[in-house]
Amino acid sequence: MGSLGNIWVTRKIPQKAIDMLREVADVEVWEEELPPPREVVLEKIARLDGILPLLTDKMDAVAMDRAPRLRVIANYAVGYDNVDVPAATQRGILVTNTPGVLTETTADLAFALLMAAARHVVAGDKYTRAGLWKTWGPLLFLGQDIHHANLGLVGLGRIGSEMAKRARGFDMRVRYYDPIRNEAAEEQLGIEYASLETVLRESDFVSLHTPLTAETRHLISERELKMMKPTAILINSSRGPVVDQKALYEALKSGTIYAAGLDVFDVEPIPEEDPLLTLDHVVAVPHIASASYATRTRMATLAAENLIAALKGEQPPTPVNPDVLGSPRRRR
Ligand code: GLV
Ligand code: GLV
């Protein structure tokens, strides 16, 4: 007990991972429903050797400078835009994430949003429950076809590729844009490479699968939305700020595009009074793309494995900045 030092897990995560950590270190878990306030993070971090934060916890240089002992930030997410990775690298702190284990589960939800937005599944449910359904209606809740439609993927990483596989079952034509062309994936998945503009202009569905970086912030803004078809549906399960949310509201409101399926928002939680939530053609869910029982457990155990390996001075399974392994703080 306690041999690997002090670890803080910033929220309740599946117990299996907590048990793994407790076997080798002193573990404290933040048991509240809401994230720890910033002051609490800044206070706790001072005595930590390892932290297992969520995407809601900002791990920046200020926090790191309060943490003379900290050797690893084991993020419980594949995305790590909440972590200042260059600042961590500079300080010899290893950063890890949870890629791979959530890929298919995330693509499942993105496809569910695509289908729900196209066929008004959520609005139809509300209508039925509200007692508004009077008769079978030839024009009731008409939507867009999914089968044989054009799907445009922005970003062809693991999750984008899984989207392409799902689309194949619906006989969709898939185009993708990514700064890096992947001809092997094109062959394997039966998809076509195109410019971002072509993807936006030709697609019936545009699904976003990029990380949030300086380059992808507001990648989809007014200009890009205007390139899309008036019947097009935007799906975002990546990060909210990849889309200019005000421009998206305007585009939906004015009929520039048809609908949107959103798992992520520029501010999370999205405020109840956000105008986006007044639109029937928006399906909005609370950042749950990886939220299956099995996947959240696999993310937790992977984060724990990363953290334990890092504290043992070993190569963790999925490091973000592996170069840190040979740096001064690591060797200490
Ligand atoms: C969730 O959004 C993740 O990045 O894992
Ligand atoms: C993230 O896992 C991605 O590569 O899409």
Short mmCIF file of all heavy atoms in Angstrom, two decimals, residues 265-328:
data_model
loop_
_atom_site.label_atom_id
_atom_site.label_comp_id
_atom_site.label_asym_id
_atom_site.label_seq_id
_atom_site.Cartn_x
_atom_site.Cartn_y
_atom_site.Cartn_z
N PHE A 265 -20.93 20.53 -27.16
CA PHE A 265 -21.36 21.93 -27.25
C PHE A 265 -20.21 22.84 -26.89
O PHE A 265 -19.25 22.40 -26.25
CB PHE A 265 -22.56 22.13 -26.31
CG PHE A 265 -23.69 21.20 -26.66
CD1 PHE A 265 -23.74 19.91 -26.10
CD2 PHE A 265 -24.62 21.55 -27.61
CE1 PHE A 265 -24.73 19.02 -26.49
CE2 PHE A 265 -25.62 20.66 -27.99
CZ PHE A 265 -25.67 19.39 -27.43
N ASP A 266 -20.32 24.12 -27.28
CA ASP A 266 -19.18 24.99 -26.98
C ASP A 266 -19.03 25.23 -25.49
O ASP A 266 -17.92 25.30 -24.98
CB ASP A 266 -19.15 26.27 -27.83
CG ASP A 266 -20.38 27.12 -27.68
OD1 ASP A 266 -21.26 26.78 -26.86
OD2 ASP A 266 -20.46 28.15 -28.38
N VAL A 267 -20.18 25.31 -24.78
CA VAL A 267 -20.13 25.33 -23.32
C VAL A 267 -20.90 24.11 -22.84
O VAL A 267 -22.03 23.88 -23.29
CB VAL A 267 -20.79 26.61 -22.76
CG1 VAL A 267 -20.86 26.55 -21.23
CG2 VAL A 267 -20.04 27.85 -23.22
N GLU A 268 -20.30 23.34 -21.97
CA GLU A 268 -20.98 22.16 -21.42
C GLU A 268 -21.05 22.25 -19.91
O GLU A 268 -20.03 22.56 -19.28
CB GLU A 268 -20.24 20.88 -21.85
CG GLU A 268 -20.28 20.69 -23.34
CD GLU A 268 -19.58 19.42 -23.84
OE1 GLU A 268 -19.11 18.63 -23.01
OE2 GLU A 268 -19.53 19.24 -25.06
N PRO A 269 -22.24 22.00 -19.32
CA PRO A 269 -23.50 21.70 -20.00
C PRO A 269 -24.01 22.91 -20.80
O PRO A 269 -23.81 24.05 -20.38
CB PRO A 269 -24.46 21.41 -18.84
CG PRO A 269 -23.62 21.29 -17.61
CD PRO A 269 -22.35 22.00 -17.86
N ILE A 270 -24.70 22.66 -21.92
CA ILE A 270 -25.32 23.75 -22.67
C ILE A 270 -26.41 24.36 -21.80
O ILE A 270 -27.22 23.64 -21.21
CB ILE A 270 -25.88 23.25 -24.03
CG1 ILE A 270 -26.48 24.42 -24.83
CG2 ILE A 270 -26.90 22.12 -23.85
CD1 ILE A 270 -26.89 24.05 -26.26
N PRO A 271 -26.42 25.70 -21.64
CA PRO A 271 -27.46 26.31 -20.80
C PRO A 271 -28.86 26.01 -21.34
O PRO A 271 -29.07 26.00 -22.56
CB PRO A 271 -27.14 27.81 -20.89
CG PRO A 271 -25.72 27.89 -21.35
CD PRO A 271 -25.48 26.68 -22.19
N GLU A 272 -29.78 25.80 -20.41
CA GLU A 272 -31.15 25.46 -20.77
C GLU A 272 -31.77 26.49 -21.71
O GLU A 272 -32.59 26.17 -22.56
CB GLU A 272 -31.95 25.39 -19.46
CG GLU A 272 -33.27 24.70 -19.57
CD GLU A 272 -34.03 24.80 -18.24
OE1 GLU A 272 -33.42 25.12 -17.20
OE2 GLU A 272 -35.24 24.55 -18.28
N GLU A 273 -31.35 27.78 -21.57
CA GLU A 273 -31.95 28.83 -22.36
C GLU A 273 -31.24 29.04 -23.71
O GLU A 273 -31.56 29.96 -24.45
CB GLU A 273 -32.00 30.14 -21.56
CG GLU A 273 -30.66 30.71 -21.14
CD GLU A 273 -30.09 30.08 -19.86
OE1 GLU A 273 -30.65 29.06 -19.36
OE2 GLU A 273 -29.06 30.57 -19.37
N ASP A 274 -30.29 28.18 -24.04
CA ASP A 274 -29.61 28.33 -25.33
C ASP A 274 -30.63 28.19 -26.46
O ASP A 274 -31.40 27.23 -26.49
CB ASP A 274 -28.52 27.27 -25.46
CG ASP A 274 -27.59 27.57 -26.63
OD1 ASP A 274 -28.06 27.52 -27.80
OD2 ASP A 274 -26.40 27.85 -26.39
N PRO A 275 -30.63 29.14 -27.41
CA PRO A 275 -31.64 29.11 -28.49
C PRO A 275 -31.59 27.82 -29.33
O PRO A 275 -32.62 27.41 -29.89
CB PRO A 275 -31.30 30.33 -29.35
CG PRO A 275 -29.96 30.80 -28.91
CD PRO A 275 -29.76 30.32 -27.51
N LEU A 276 -30.43 27.19 -29.38
CA LEU A 276 -30.31 25.94 -30.13
C LEU A 276 -31.35 24.91 -29.65
O LEU A 276 -31.89 24.14 -30.44
CB LEU A 276 -28.89 25.39 -29.92
CG LEU A 276 -28.24 24.52 -30.96
CD1 LEU A 276 -28.29 25.11 -32.35
CD2 LEU A 276 -26.79 24.27 -30.56
N LEU A 277 -31.62 24.95 -28.36
CA LEU A 277 -32.52 23.95 -27.78
C LEU A 277 -34.00 24.25 -28.06
O LEU A 277 -34.87 23.48 -27.70
CB LEU A 277 -32.28 23.83 -26.27
CG LEU A 277 -30.87 23.41 -25.86
CD1 LEU A 277 -30.74 23.34 -24.35
CD2 LEU A 277 -30.49 22.07 -26.49
N THR A 278 -34.27 25.37 -28.72
CA THR A 278 -35.65 25.67 -29.10
C THR A 278 -35.97 25.07 -30.47
O THR A 278 -37.12 25.10 -30.90
CB THR A 278 -35.90 27.20 -29.18
OG1 THR A 278 -35.07 27.74 -30.23
CG2 THR A 278 -35.58 27.89 -27.85
N LEU A 279 -34.97 24.57 -31.16
CA LEU A 279 -35.18 24.10 -32.54
C LEU A 279 -35.55 22.61 -32.56
O LEU A 279 -34.84 21.78 -32.01
CB LEU A 279 -33.92 24.32 -33.37
CG LEU A 279 -33.40 25.77 -33.45
CD1 LEU A 279 -32.08 25.83 -34.20
CD2 LEU A 279 -34.44 26.67 -34.12
N ASP A 280 -36.66 22.30 -33.24
CA ASP A 280 -37.12 20.91 -33.35
C ASP A 280 -36.13 20.02 -34.10
O ASP A 280 -36.08 18.82 -33.88
CB ASP A 280 -38.44 20.85 -34.13
CG ASP A 280 -39.61 21.16 -33.23
OD1 ASP A 280 -39.42 21.13 -32.00
OD2 ASP A 280 -40.70 21.43 -33.76
N HIS A 281 -35.40 20.62 -35.03
CA HIS A 281 -34.51 19.81 -35.85
C HIS A 281 -33.13 19.62 -35.22
O HIS A 281 -32.18 19.30 -35.91
CB HIS A 281 -34.39 20.41 -37.25
CG HIS A 281 -35.61 20.18 -38.07
ND1 HIS A 281 -35.66 20.37 -39.43
CD2 HIS A 281 -36.85 19.74 -37.73
CE1 HIS A 281 -36.87 20.08 -39.88
NE2 HIS A 281 -37.62 19.70 -38.86
N VAL A 282 -33.06 19.83 -33.93
CA VAL A 282 -31.81 19.56 -33.23
C VAL A 282 -32.03 18.39 -32.26
O VAL A 282 -32.97 18.41 -31.47
CB VAL A 282 -31.33 20.80 -32.44
CG1 VAL A 282 -30.18 20.44 -31.50
CG2 VAL A 282 -30.91 21.90 -33.40
N VAL A 283 -31.19 17.39 -32.37
CA VAL A 283 -31.16 16.33 -31.37
C VAL A 283 -29.92 16.60 -30.52
O VAL A 283 -28.81 16.68 -31.04
CB VAL A 283 -31.07 14.93 -32.02
CG1 VAL A 283 -30.92 13.86 -30.96
CG2 VAL A 283 -32.30 14.68 -32.89
N ALA A 284 -30.14 16.76 -29.22
CA ALA A 284 -29.03 17.13 -28.33
C ALA A 284 -28.94 16.11 -27.20
O ALA A 284 -29.91 15.87 -26.50
CB ALA A 284 -29.28 18.52 -27.76
N VAL A 285 -27.76 15.54 -27.03
CA VAL A 285 -27.53 14.63 -25.91
C VAL A 285 -26.29 15.10 -25.13
O VAL A 285 -25.44 15.82 -25.68
CB VAL A 285 -27.40 13.15 -26.36
CG1 VAL A 285 -28.72 12.66 -26.95
CG2 VAL A 285 -26.26 12.95 -27.35
N PRO A 286 -26.20 14.74 -23.85
CA PRO A 286 -25.20 15.34 -22.95
C PRO A 286 -23.81 14.67 -22.96
O PRO A 286 -23.39 14.10 -21.96
CB PRO A 286 -25.86 15.23 -21.58
CG PRO A 286 -26.67 13.99 -21.68
CD PRO A 286 -27.17 13.92 -23.10
N HIS A 287 -23.10 14.78 -24.07
CA HIS A 287 -21.73 14.27 -24.18
C HIS A 287 -21.63 12.82 -23.67
O HIS A 287 -20.91 12.54 -22.71
CB HIS A 287 -20.74 15.19 -23.45
CG HIS A 287 -19.34 15.11 -23.98
ND1 HIS A 287 -18.46 16.15 -23.98
CD2 HIS A 287 -18.67 14.06 -24.53
CE1 HIS A 287 -17.31 15.77 -24.50
NE2 HIS A 287 -17.40 14.49 -24.85
N ILE A 288 -22.35 11.94 -24.33
CA ILE A 288 -22.45 10.54 -23.88
C ILE A 288 -21.96 9.54 -24.92
O ILE A 288 -22.26 8.35 -24.83
CB ILE A 288 -23.91 10.18 -23.50
CG1 ILE A 288 -24.87 10.46 -24.68
CG2 ILE A 288 -24.35 10.91 -22.25
CD1 ILE A 288 -26.29 9.93 -24.46
N ALA A 289 -21.20 9.99 -25.91
CA ALA A 289 -20.86 9.08 -27.01
C ALA A 289 -20.14 7.81 -26.54
O ALA A 289 -20.37 6.73 -27.08
CB ALA A 289 -20.04 9.80 -28.07
N SER A 290 -19.31 7.91 -25.53
CA SER A 290 -18.59 6.71 -25.09
C SER A 290 -19.30 6.00 -23.92
O SER A 290 -18.75 5.08 -23.32
CB SER A 290 -17.16 7.07 -24.68
OG SER A 290 -17.16 7.92 -23.54
N ALA A 291 -20.53 6.44 -23.63
CA ALA A 291 -21.18 5.99 -22.39
C ALA A 291 -21.91 4.66 -22.51
O ALA A 291 -23.14 4.59 -22.42
CB ALA A 291 -22.13 7.08 -21.90
N SER A 292 -21.17 3.58 -22.71
CA SER A 292 -21.77 2.25 -22.51
C SER A 292 -21.11 1.67 -21.26
O SER A 292 -19.99 2.06 -20.92
CB SER A 292 -21.55 1.34 -23.72
OG SER A 292 -20.21 0.89 -23.76
N TYR A 293 -21.79 0.78 -20.60
CA TYR A 293 -21.22 0.16 -19.39
C TYR A 293 -19.84 -0.40 -19.68
O TYR A 293 -18.88 -0.15 -18.97
CB TYR A 293 -22.13 -0.97 -18.88
CG TYR A 293 -23.45 -0.50 -18.34
CD1 TYR A 293 -24.62 -0.67 -19.07
CD2 TYR A 293 -23.53 0.11 -17.09
CE1 TYR A 293 -25.85 -0.24 -18.57
CE2 TYR A 293 -24.74 0.54 -16.59
CZ TYR A 293 -25.91 0.36 -17.32
OH TYR A 293 -27.10 0.79 -16.83
N ALA A 294 -19.76 -1.20 -20.76
CA ALA A 294 -18.50 -1.89 -21.04
C ALA A 294 -17.39 -0.90 -21.38
O ALA A 294 -16.26 -1.02 -20.90
CB ALA A 294 -18.70 -2.87 -22.20
N THR A 295 -17.71 0.09 -22.20
CA THR A 295 -16.67 1.02 -22.65
C THR A 295 -16.17 1.91 -21.53
O THR A 295 -14.96 2.16 -21.41
CB THR A 295 -17.17 1.82 -23.87
OG1 THR A 295 -17.26 0.91 -24.95
CG2 THR A 295 -16.24 2.95 -24.22
N ARG A 296 -17.07 2.39 -20.70
CA ARG A 296 -16.61 3.26 -19.61
C ARG A 296 -15.71 2.48 -18.63
O ARG A 296 -14.79 3.03 -18.04
CB ARG A 296 -17.79 3.91 -18.89
CG ARG A 296 -18.41 5.05 -19.69
CD ARG A 296 -17.52 6.29 -19.70
NE ARG A 296 -17.90 7.25 -20.73
CZ ARG A 296 -18.85 8.17 -20.60
NH1 ARG A 296 -19.55 8.25 -19.49
NH2 ARG A 296 -19.10 9.00 -21.58
N THR A 297 -15.96 1.18 -18.50
CA THR A 297 -15.08 0.35 -17.67
C THR A 297 -13.73 0.18 -18.35
O THR A 297 -12.67 0.30 -17.70
CB THR A 297 -15.73 -1.02 -17.38
OG1 THR A 297 -16.95 -0.78 -16.69
CG2 THR A 297 -14.84 -1.90 -16.52
N ARG A 298 -13.73 -0.05 -19.65
CA ARG A 298 -12.46 -0.22 -20.36
C ARG A 298 -11.65 1.08 -20.36
O ARG A 298 -10.41 1.07 -20.27
CB ARG A 298 -12.70 -0.71 -21.79
CG ARG A 298 -13.18 -2.16 -21.80
CD ARG A 298 -13.71 -2.57 -23.14
NE ARG A 298 -12.63 -2.77 -24.10
CZ ARG A 298 -12.81 -2.73 -25.43
NH1 ARG A 298 -13.99 -2.46 -25.94
NH2 ARG A 298 -11.80 -2.96 -26.22
N MET A 299 -12.33 2.21 -20.48
CA MET A 299 -11.62 3.50 -20.39
C MET A 299 -10.98 3.66 -19.02
O MET A 299 -9.84 4.12 -18.89
CB MET A 299 -12.59 4.67 -20.62
CG MET A 299 -13.03 4.83 -22.05
SD MET A 299 -14.45 5.97 -22.19
CE MET A 299 -13.70 7.52 -21.65
N ALA A 300 -11.73 3.27 -17.98
CA ALA A 300 -11.23 3.43 -16.61
C ALA A 300 -10.02 2.53 -16.36
O ALA A 300 -9.02 2.98 -15.79
CB ALA A 300 -12.34 3.13 -15.61
N THR A 301 -10.10 1.29 -16.80
CA THR A 301 -8.97 0.39 -16.53
C THR A 301 -7.75 0.78 -17.38
O THR A 301 -6.62 0.69 -16.93
CB THR A 301 -9.34 -1.09 -16.75
OG1 THR A 301 -9.87 -1.26 -18.07
CG2 THR A 301 -10.37 -1.56 -15.73
N LEU A 302 -8.00 1.29 -18.59
CA LEU A 302 -6.87 1.76 -19.41
C LEU A 302 -6.21 2.98 -18.76
O LEU A 302 -4.98 3.07 -18.69
CB LEU A 302 -7.33 2.08 -20.84
CG LEU A 302 -6.26 2.64 -21.78
CD1 LEU A 302 -5.02 1.73 -21.85
CD2 LEU A 302 -6.83 2.84 -23.19
N ALA A 303 -7.03 3.89 -18.26
CA ALA A 303 -6.46 5.07 -17.58
C ALA A 303 -5.66 4.62 -16.36
O ALA A 303 -4.56 5.15 -16.09
CB ALA A 303 -7.56 6.05 -17.19
N ALA A 304 -6.18 3.64 -15.62
CA ALA A 304 -5.47 3.13 -14.44
C ALA A 304 -4.16 2.45 -14.84
O ALA A 304 -3.11 2.66 -14.21
CB ALA A 304 -6.37 2.18 -13.65
N GLU A 305 -4.20 1.65 -15.90
CA GLU A 305 -2.97 0.98 -16.37
C GLU A 305 -1.92 2.02 -16.77
O GLU A 305 -0.73 1.88 -16.48
CB GLU A 305 -3.26 0.11 -17.60
CG GLU A 305 -3.90 -1.23 -17.28
CD GLU A 305 -4.50 -1.88 -18.53
OE1 GLU A 305 -4.03 -1.60 -19.66
OE2 GLU A 305 -5.46 -2.65 -18.37
N ASN A 306 -2.38 3.06 -17.46
CA ASN A 306 -1.47 4.14 -17.86
C ASN A 306 -0.82 4.77 -16.64
O ASN A 306 0.39 4.99 -16.59
CB ASN A 306 -2.24 5.21 -18.63
CG ASN A 306 -2.39 4.89 -20.11
OD1 ASN A 306 -1.49 4.38 -20.75
ND2 ASN A 306 -3.57 5.17 -20.65
N LEU A 307 -1.67 5.07 -15.66
CA LEU A 307 -1.18 5.77 -14.48
C LEU A 307 -0.17 4.91 -13.70
O LEU A 307 0.90 5.38 -13.31
CB LEU A 307 -2.39 6.17 -13.62
CG LEU A 307 -2.13 7.28 -12.61
CD1 LEU A 307 -3.41 8.07 -12.36
CD2 LEU A 307 -1.60 6.72 -11.33
N ILE A 308 -0.52 3.65 -13.53
CA ILE A 308 0.35 2.76 -12.76
C ILE A 308 1.69 2.57 -13.48
O ILE A 308 2.76 2.69 -12.87
CB ILE A 308 -0.34 1.40 -12.52
CG1 ILE A 308 -1.54 1.61 -11.57
CG2 ILE A 308 0.63 0.37 -11.94
CD1 ILE A 308 -2.51 0.43 -11.51
N ALA A 309 1.63 2.33 -14.79
CA ALA A 309 2.88 2.14 -15.54
C ALA A 309 3.75 3.39 -15.42
O ALA A 309 4.96 3.29 -15.17
CB ALA A 309 2.57 1.84 -17.00
N ALA A 310 3.13 4.54 -15.56
CA ALA A 310 3.90 5.79 -15.51
C ALA A 310 4.58 5.95 -14.15
O ALA A 310 5.75 6.33 -14.08
CB ALA A 310 2.99 6.98 -15.79
N LEU A 311 3.87 5.64 -13.08
CA LEU A 311 4.48 5.80 -11.75
C LEU A 311 5.56 4.75 -11.50
O LEU A 311 6.47 4.97 -10.70
CB LEU A 311 3.41 5.73 -10.65
CG LEU A 311 2.45 6.93 -10.58
CD1 LEU A 311 1.51 6.80 -9.40
CD2 LEU A 311 3.21 8.26 -10.51
N LYS A 312 5.45 3.62 -12.20
CA LYS A 312 6.52 2.61 -12.07
C LYS A 312 7.71 2.94 -12.95
O LYS A 312 8.69 2.19 -12.98
CB LYS A 312 5.98 1.23 -12.48
CG LYS A 312 5.07 0.59 -11.44
CD LYS A 312 4.66 -0.80 -11.90
CE LYS A 312 3.90 -1.53 -10.81
NZ LYS A 312 3.17 -2.69 -11.37
N GLY A 313 7.59 4.01 -13.76
CA GLY A 313 8.68 4.36 -14.67
C GLY A 313 8.69 3.50 -15.92
O GLY A 313 9.68 3.44 -16.63
N GLU A 314 7.56 2.85 -16.18
CA GLU A 314 7.46 2.00 -17.38
C GLU A 314 6.71 2.73 -18.48
O GLU A 314 6.02 3.71 -18.22
CB GLU A 314 6.72 0.70 -17.02
CG GLU A 314 7.50 -0.17 -16.05
CD GLU A 314 6.63 -1.26 -15.42
OE1 GLU A 314 5.45 -1.38 -15.82
OE2 GLU A 314 7.13 -1.96 -14.53
N GLN A 315 6.81 2.20 -19.67
CA GLN A 315 6.08 2.76 -20.81
C GLN A 315 4.59 2.47 -20.64
O GLN A 315 4.18 1.32 -20.59
CB GLN A 315 6.61 2.08 -22.09
CG GLN A 315 5.84 2.37 -23.35
CD GLN A 315 6.29 3.65 -24.02
OE1 GLN A 315 7.46 4.02 -23.98
NE2 GLN A 315 5.36 4.34 -24.65
N PRO A 316 3.74 3.50 -20.52
CA PRO A 316 2.31 3.23 -20.40
C PRO A 316 1.72 2.80 -21.75
O PRO A 316 2.31 3.08 -22.79
CB PRO A 316 1.72 4.56 -19.95
CG PRO A 316 2.73 5.58 -20.25
CD PRO A 316 4.05 4.92 -20.51
N PRO A 317 0.57 2.10 -21.73
CA PRO A 317 0.00 1.61 -22.99
C PRO A 317 -0.30 2.73 -24.00
O PRO A 317 -0.02 2.57 -25.18
CB PRO A 317 -1.30 0.93 -22.56
CG PRO A 317 -1.16 0.65 -21.10
CD PRO A 317 -0.18 1.64 -20.55
N THR A 318 -0.85 3.86 -23.55
CA THR A 318 -1.26 4.88 -24.53
C THR A 318 -0.84 6.29 -24.09
O THR A 318 -1.65 7.10 -23.68
CB THR A 318 -2.79 4.83 -24.78
OG1 THR A 318 -3.49 4.87 -23.51
CG2 THR A 318 -3.20 3.56 -25.49
N PRO A 319 0.46 6.57 -24.22
CA PRO A 319 0.96 7.90 -23.87
C PRO A 319 0.67 8.92 -24.97
O PRO A 319 0.61 8.57 -26.15
CB PRO A 319 2.47 7.67 -23.76
CG PRO A 319 2.76 6.55 -24.70
CD PRO A 319 1.53 5.68 -24.73
N VAL A 320 0.49 10.17 -24.57
CA VAL A 320 0.31 11.26 -25.52
C VAL A 320 1.66 11.92 -25.83
O VAL A 320 1.92 12.32 -26.95
CB VAL A 320 -0.67 12.32 -24.95
CG1 VAL A 320 -0.68 13.58 -25.80
CG2 VAL A 320 -2.08 11.73 -24.84
N ASN A 321 2.51 12.01 -24.81
CA ASN A 321 3.83 12.65 -24.97
C ASN A 321 4.93 11.69 -24.49
O ASN A 321 5.62 11.97 -23.50
CB ASN A 321 3.89 14.00 -24.23
CG ASN A 321 3.60 13.85 -22.74
OD1 ASN A 321 3.21 12.78 -22.27
ND2 ASN A 321 3.82 14.92 -21.98
N PRO A 322 5.12 10.57 -25.21
CA PRO A 322 6.05 9.53 -24.74
C PRO A 322 7.49 10.02 -24.57
O PRO A 322 8.25 9.42 -23.82
CB PRO A 322 5.96 8.45 -25.82
CG PRO A 322 5.37 9.11 -27.01
CD PRO A 322 4.50 10.23 -26.49
N ASP A 323 7.84 11.12 -25.24
CA ASP A 323 9.21 11.63 -25.13
C ASP A 323 9.60 11.96 -23.70
O ASP A 323 10.78 11.97 -23.35
CB ASP A 323 9.37 12.92 -25.95
CG ASP A 323 9.23 12.65 -27.43
OD1 ASP A 323 9.15 11.45 -27.79
OD2 ASP A 323 9.18 13.62 -28.20
N VAL A 324 8.59 12.24 -22.88
CA VAL A 324 8.84 12.61 -21.49
C VAL A 324 9.50 11.48 -20.71
O VAL A 324 10.15 11.72 -19.70
CB VAL A 324 7.49 13.02 -20.84
CG1 VAL A 324 7.55 12.97 -19.34
CG2 VAL A 324 7.10 14.39 -21.32
N LEU A 325 9.34 10.24 -21.19
CA LEU A 325 9.83 9.09 -20.42
C LEU A 325 11.30 9.19 -20.04
O LEU A 325 11.70 8.70 -19.00
CB LEU A 325 9.56 7.79 -21.18
CG LEU A 325 8.13 7.29 -21.00
CD1 LEU A 325 7.79 6.22 -22.03
CD2 LEU A 325 7.91 6.75 -19.59
N GLY A 326 12.12 9.86 -20.86
CA GLY A 326 13.54 9.97 -20.52
C GLY A 326 13.93 11.27 -19.84
O GLY A 326 15.09 11.53 -19.61
N SER A 327 12.93 12.10 -19.50
CA SER A 327 13.26 13.45 -19.03
C SER A 327 13.59 13.47 -17.53
O SER A 327 13.33 12.51 -16.82
CB SER A 327 12.09 14.39 -19.32
OG SER A 327 11.10 14.23 -18.32
N PRO A 328 14.16 14.57 -17.01
CA PRO A 328 14.67 14.64 -15.64
C PRO A 328 13.65 14.24 -14.57
O PRO A 328 13.98 13.47 -13.68
CB PRO A 328 15.07 16.10 -15.49
CG PRO A 328 15.31 16.59 -16.88
CD PRO A 328 14.43 15.80 -17.76
#
